[in-house]
Structure formats: structure tokens, C-alpha cells
Amino acid sequence: MTRTILDVHVLQTVPPSNLNRDDTGAPKTAVYGGVRRARVSSQAWKRATRNAFPALLDPSELGVRTKKVAEALAERIGVLDESLKQSEALALAAETMRTATGSKIEVPKRKSKDSETAEDGLAPESGYLMFLSARQLEGLARLTVEGAKGTGDLKVLKDYLKSKEGKALARQYVDTRHSVDIALFGRMVADSTDLNVDAATQVAHALSVHAVDNESDYFTAVDDRNTESQSGAGMIGVVDFNSATLYRYAALDVDHLLRNLGEGLRENESAAQPTRRAVEAFLEGFITSLPTGKINTFGHNTLPDAVIVKLRTKRPISFVGAFEEPVTTGDTGGFLQPACEKLARYVPEIESAYGAEDRSRTWVLRFGDDTRPLAALGTEKNLTGLVEAVGSVVADRLESGA
């Protein structure tokens, strides 16, 4: 069976920074090839990618991941029935969400020992983050208003949700019309595993192509109101950092994405159209996004030096093996050029060994002399050209059923 899989390979150099901290506040690291490497977790880069989506997609195509699901639903219920008080809308929303997800939706006790109800301004919450699309929340809001028969009466809604029809519709609304971000990154509902959504993407932990040692910056801050006679710092501290040339990798199963999205996200369109939009948004979001840990301290606002996108028909392939032996600098310093040379040798060799070549479906975004070795791997594009070219090929394959 022919598949449609996109592999995204990125080389990106970041200056002294602390993009992703561990529990001690130090930049995350990992041992690979017998040496310590800089590491940025997949969760950090997926979060950064999701944060890029609002500028790339319509809000109706996105979701929200929050414990405050009752608040999110109550807002929509209030729009449909303006006669409801906020406390009434919250109570109705919590009841619908309990039925739809099978989860406990309760006022968190940690908020206040003296207040236990939504009347006191406290909204019920789920015990863990829940991921719901805008269209799922809108469907549940309509169901809630209709189930309460326009009365706003919680008992009337409870009776409706206990019925076979009400319960089935609540589950249906929460398990269809997934947003692009849910379809891409998946969803876990601990209390109702049948509502889980398997992610269409795999995102690797970014690793430096070379060995890295964390460093520490000792800093002081002076009190602005100190006089010349008042010496010493107002505060002192230490912040850890490193700098690295990172190899980043993600794989997107387009067929899985198509299944996750199901019917079109808009009226009068096939599922192939939102799938193309999702692919293009993911490519641009993943390529250009950047975790913002300590960004005000380090200002590490770089963009990738090189990007390779591969369209595969069998299985995803990471090229991290090119850097199992850590890159070392030449006489003039720098890791980027030797990393590009290693990658340019490794890619054709491994693809030839496993019969995975597909030059006509490889796109390269690069700039500068250091990345020149990668030019031979595929068709060179700028960011806009790459995203549009990949989106066009994906759409053609989906429409033709290839």
C-alpha cells in the first residue's frame, strides 16, 4: 500500500540560550554517540509550532487545550442563550462535559477552602488538560441549550443527557470534527480512551550535531535608588546556557491526518482541502517556530540555516544517524558546514542502501555557502515556494487517491 509521508529535516544554529530547561533550570541535554549533546524536547517544539498556527489558520480550524473546559463551553452557551447567568451557564456546561467525556468536572479545592460553588466565582475544571476543537465546543453548546429546552434548568438538562439520544449526541459531538492541531498532535482523554486521537505527527527531540558543555552566567542587578555610598548588588544569580547547531526532525503521516480530520472543516469542501491547509500550516509552523525559554535574556531569534523536506511512500526516515559521530570544527571554526557535508553524504547513501530514493519529491530550503553541499539533494525553494510546492503535491495525491 502506497503511503504519503512527509519527513522534515532542519539544521538550525542557536547562540547562547536556554530554550528548554530541566528541573534544575539548566538546558536539557542527552548523550548520543557517546558524547553530551544539547537537547530541546519534542514537547517544547510542538508547543512552539502550535503557537504559530493562529497566524496561519482560521480560528475555527483550531482547538484549545485546557482544564477550564467548563468555562470555554459556558462562554459559547452564553452566546446562544443570553438570558442565562454565568453561574447557570457554568453548571450546564460542566454537566454536558461530564457526559461527553466521562471525566470529573469539579470546582478545584485548591482555589479556596471557603468557596465550593460556581456562585462564588469559581468555575469547575477537569483534573487534566483536555483538547477540544472550536467546532466541538460549538456543537456541545448547541446540544446543551437544546437539551435544557431553553429553560436553563440543570435538572432538565440532566434528564436529557441521561437519555440514550442525549448521551449519544454528547459523545458524538466531542469525537468528530477534530481541529487541525488535534489531528496533527493527537489527544488523550484519560477517563474515556475511546475519545483518544492518535497523532499524525512524530516530532523528535532536537539534538546538537556536536558535543556540548553547559555554561553558567553569573549576573548581578543594581538597585536604581542606591546612592554612591551604597555599594553592592540588589540581587545576584546564575543562569545556565549553551549554544548549538541543532538537527531537528519531524514526520507527518498525511493519510493519518486525513483520517483524523474526517469531513471538511468548512462547508462544501472535501477533506483533502483542510488536509492541505493543515500540511502547509504544519510545515511553516514547525520550520519557523522557536521555543521561547529565557528568550528575553538571550534573544535567540534565529531561523533555520537549512531545511530538507522528503515525500515518502513507505515509511519515515530520520537522518540523525549522520551525526552519531559528533561533528567537529575545522580550522576556521563553525559546525554548520561540516554538518551539511555529513548530511549530503549520508542521505544518498542510506536511501540507496534501502531503495528509498525519490529525488523528484525532495525540496531544499537553504542559504549561504556553508549549506551549499545540500543543494544537490533536491529542488531548491524559499519558504513560500517550499510550502506551496509540498501542499500542491499532497493535494494532488489525495484528490487522485494515490
Side-chain angles (χ1 to χ4, degrees):
M1 176 181 172
T2 300
R3 302 173 66 188
T4 304
I5 297 171
L6 291 172
D7 281 341
V8 187
H9 313 268
V10 178
L11 287 176
Q12 183 165 357
T13 299
V14 291
S17 54
N18 190 342
L19 281 73
N20 186 208
R21 303 189 291 276
D22 64 16
D23 58 336
T24 70
K28 290 182 178 180
T29 61
V31 173
Y32 181 63
V35 300
R36 181 71 56 183
R37 312 288 185 113
R39 176 174 67 92
V40 181
S41 72
S42 59
Q43 283 295 95
W45 229 298
K46 283 189 280 189
R47 171 70 176 171
T49 302
R50 281 186 57 222
N51 285 343
F53 286 167
L56 302 171
L57 293 165
D58 188 272
S60 65
E61 297 181 298
L62 297 175
V64 59
R65 189 175 66 173
T66 180
K67 292 183 178 181
K68 300 175 182 179
V69 286
E71 277 188 358
L73 181 55
E75 289 173 1
R76 288 164 172 81
I77 292 171
V79 171
L80 295 177
D81 187 347
E82 296 180 351
S83 67
L84 292 174
K85 297 178 182 178
Q86 181 184 17
S87 59
E88 293 173 332
L90 281 170
L92 294 172
E95 189 61 34
T96 297
M97 201 59 68
R98 291 186 193 105
T99 301
T101 66
S103 303
K104 291 182 179 180
I105 310 293
E106 301 174 334
V107 174
K109 295 179 181 179
R110 58 179 168 77
K111 295 275 183 160
S112 171
K113 293 181 180 178
D114 301 321
S115 302
E116 296 183 357
T117 68
E119 291 287 353
D120 299 302
L122 300 175
E125 296 182 2
S126 59
Y128 50 86
L129 294 172
M130 298 185 69
F131 211 167
L132 295 167
S133 74
R135 297 198 313 166
Q136 287 167 352
L137 288 169
E138 289 165 4
L140 290 172
R142 289 195 301 272
L143 176 70
T144 302
V145 173
E146 292 168 4
K149 304 187 186 309
T151 66
D153 191 320
L154 181 59
K155 184 179 183 307
V156 173
L157 177 65
K158 284 184 175 181
D159 290 340
Y160 173 70
L161 292 176
K162 287 178 182 177
S163 70
K164 185 176 180 180
E165 176 193 3
K167 187 177 296 186
L169 280 175
R171 300 285 284 189
Q172 178 184 326
Y173 275 122
V174 84
D175 198 29
T176 54
R177 298 192 171 194
H178 299 304
S179 58
V180 167
D181 38 6
I182 291 175
L184 284 167
F185 299 120
R187 177 179 74 186
M188 185 186 76
V189 182
D191 299 297
S192 298
T193 56
D194 59 313
L195 298 179
N196 289 351
V197 179
D198 291 332
T201 57
Q202 300 172 0
V203 179
H205 290 234
L207 286 177
S208 64
V209 301
H210 52 85
V212 161
D213 290 319
N214 286 345
E215 301 179 66
S216 296
D217 175 37
Y218 172 81
F219 66 88
T220 64
V222 177
D223 190 322
D224 287 346
R225 291 184 62 83
N226 276 2
T227 63
E228 291 184 4
S229 63
Q230 293 175 300
S231 61
M235 67 170 291
I236 59 175
V238 175
V239 59
D240 293 336
F241 66 91
N242 61 34
S243 60
T245 297
L246 298 169
Y247 170 73
R248 299 165 47 204
Y249 169 72
L252 171 55
D253 186 330
V254 178
D255 305 304
H256 193 152
L257 177 62
L258 178 68
R259 292 192 297 271
N260 279 355
L261 285 174
E263 63 182 286
L265 283 168
R266 296 176 185 166
E267 299 296 330
N268 303 317
E269 68 175 4
S270 68
Q273 292 171 295
T275 301
R276 174 178 180 169
R277 292 197 299 272
V279 167
E280 292 180 346
F282 175 76
L283 280 176
E284 185 167 348
F286 180 71
I287 290 169
T288 62
S289 63
L290 190 67
T292 56
K294 291 286 185 182
I295 197 165
N296 289 339
T297 300
F298 293 103
H300 51 267
N301 294 297
T302 66
L303 286 167
D305 302 281
V307 179
I308 302 170
V309 177
K310 290 269 187 180
L311 175 64
R312 301 201 179 278
T313 57
K314 292 185 178 179
R315 54 153 290 175
I317 301 174
S318 169
F319 296 146
V320 70
F323 310 112
E324 194 271 342
E325 179 184 348
V327 172
T328 56
T329 60
D331 295 336
T332 58
F335 293 107
L336 181 60
Q337 182 173 345
C340 289
E341 291 172 349
K342 274 198 165 194
L343 199 55
R345 291 193 301 269
Y346 183 85
V347 173
E349 288 177 0
I350 192 171
E351 289 188 334
S352 177
Y354 287 93
E357 309 99 319
D358 194 346
R359 282 181 53 86
S360 64
R361 290 295 179 262
T362 303
W363 300 268
V364 176
L365 183 163
R366 65 165 200 91
F367 63 90
D369 291 338
D370 288 346
T371 63
R372 194 175 299 279
L374 301 179
L377 295 181
T379 305
E380 289 198 63
K381 298 282 186 180
N382 60 18
L383 177 64
T384 300
L386 183 150
V387 169
E388 290 180 350
V390 175
S392 177
V393 171
V394 165
D396 287 345
R397 289 179 63 86
L398 294 178
E399 295 288 359
S400 66

